[in-house]
Amino acid sequence: MISPTPRAPLDSWPVQAFDARFGLGWWTDPAVLVFQATVEQATAENAELVQSWIDLALRHRKEEIAEAGGLFIFHDWRSVRAYDTEARKAYLARMRARPRDYLRHSVTVISAASPLLRMAVETGNLVASMVAGRKVEIAHDPVAVMREHEIRPPAIGTRFPGTGRPSSRPPVAR
């Protein structure tokens, strides 16, 4: 079993979901999904995996998401250096298939040293904001984002939607 180790500022968070093909995922209140990529190259496979995790939340936490006015998604993609065209296409296709009101806000943190990645993410975010009708933004400092949006660690025992895995033990990587 591979034991994932989140990077700061998520390094003290109890692991809820991990897949070596992408990275880590958490569910926390109120209706917040947090993702931390561990890969350097974003591919269609990565995009499909993240979108599958989002679909799990939409199915298994429907009432909580509605009460919060939609999902807040926080992507920590500081490890990502490049983004395949097919990854962007897969990601946006899955977003387009969802109801317009599923998202309340999204922030993607990328390395400031990646101007080409920033352009790719900005293009994707423009489409995403039109599809979801919500604010989608890019940032460079995950701590500032977490502070501004009051993103807190999940309580021990909180499970990632649809997995049945408690947050106190990391799931087996694929």
Side-chain angles (χ1 to χ4, degrees):
M1 180 166 109
I2 297 171
S3 179
T5 304
R7 289 181 324 281
L10 305 169
D11 52 338
S12 65
W13 286 33
V15 173
Q16 290 180 338
F18 173 74
D19 191 304
R21 296 172 295 169
F22 168 74
L24 300 122
W26 294 268
W27 171 266
T28 190
D29 291 322
V32 178
L33 280 176
V34 176
F35 298 109
Q36 188 175 69
T38 57
V39 297
E40 290 187 12
Q41 178 77 27
T43 65
E45 181 180 37
N46 307 139
E48 292 291 346
L49 177 65
V50 170
Q51 291 296 333
S52 294
W53 283 354
I54 293 169
D55 287 342
L56 283 173
L58 292 171
R59 271 195 312 276
H60 294 278
R61 301 294 180 108
K62 190 176 196 171
E63 294 79 23
E64 293 168 65
I65 292 167
E67 283 177 27
L71 266 176
F72 184 104
I73 301 176
F74 172 54
H75 296 285
D76 178 354
W77 287 2
R78 291 173 296 153
S79 70
V80 178
R81 300 290 176 247
Y83 194 94
D84 291 352
T85 299
E86 293 305 313
R88 182 178 48 79
K89 287 179 184 177
Y91 199 89
L92 294 175
R94 294 283 292 270
M95 287 184 71
R96 286 185 181 108
R98 294 194 184 107
R100 189 168 166 82
D101 63 349
Y102 85 95
L103 185 69
R104 78 173 182 267
H105 194 87
S106 179
V107 180
T108 302
V109 174
I110 61 171
S111 168
S114 301
L116 291 176
L117 178 63
R118 181 181 178 86
M119 277 187 357
V121 172
E122 282 177 342
T123 301
N125 282 354
L126 176 62
V127 174
S129 65
M130 291 188 301
V131 167
R134 302 295 181 168
K135 187 173 182 183
V136 180
E137 63 181 287
I138 294 175
H140 299 295
D141 182 356
V143 173
V145 171
M146 292 171 70
R147 189 177 303 121
E148 177 184 349
H149 296 284
E150 299 180 3
I151 299 171
R152 306 271 186 266
I156 295 293
T158 301
R159 298 173 187 269
F160 194 86
T163 64
R165 297 183 180 126
S167 61
S168 59
R169 283 179 264 139
V172 175
R174 295 181 196 174

